[in-house]
Amino acid sequence: MSQTLDKIIEHVKNMSEQEAKEKFAELLVNYYRIGFGGYSKEECMKDYESIYKKIVLRDLWK
């Protein structure tokens, strides 16, 4: 596995069940919004990237 994928897996393992559910729901909502109200696949990917950056930054400060 790639280092990025390993980091993501490790991060998810360290999440509380509630936090994991909230992040999963956020990802699904963004995905299903594609095509509605001008929300594009590119905007969705930017949102996913933003979520990932928050994870990485938070892990740096632990």
Side-chain angles (χ1 to χ4, degrees):
M1 278 191 239
S2 72
Q3 284 185 333
T4 302
L5 184 55
D6 289 341
K7 286 181 182 179
I8 293 170
I9 290 170
E10 188 61 32
H11 178 77
V12 171
K13 285 180 179 179
N14 291 327
M15 288 176 146
S16 69
E17 182 177 351
Q18 183 62 35
E19 185 181 11
K21 286 179 180 180
E22 288 171 2
K23 288 299 177 189
F24 183 63
E26 185 178 347
L27 292 172
L28 286 177
V29 166
N30 285 345
Y31 178 77
Y32 285 108
R33 282 180 46 211
I34 294 173
F36 294 100
Y39 190 72
S40 67
K41 183 177 179 180
E42 290 77 21
E43 289 172 307
C44 182
M45 293 310 296
K46 286 180 187 176
D47 289 342
Y48 284 3
E49 182 181 336
S50 175
I51 291 168
Y52 176 72
K53 285 179 182 177
K54 288 177 188 175
I55 290 169
V56 170
L57 287 174
R58 184 177 65 192
D59 287 348
L60 287 175
W61 299 111
K62 282 185 178 179

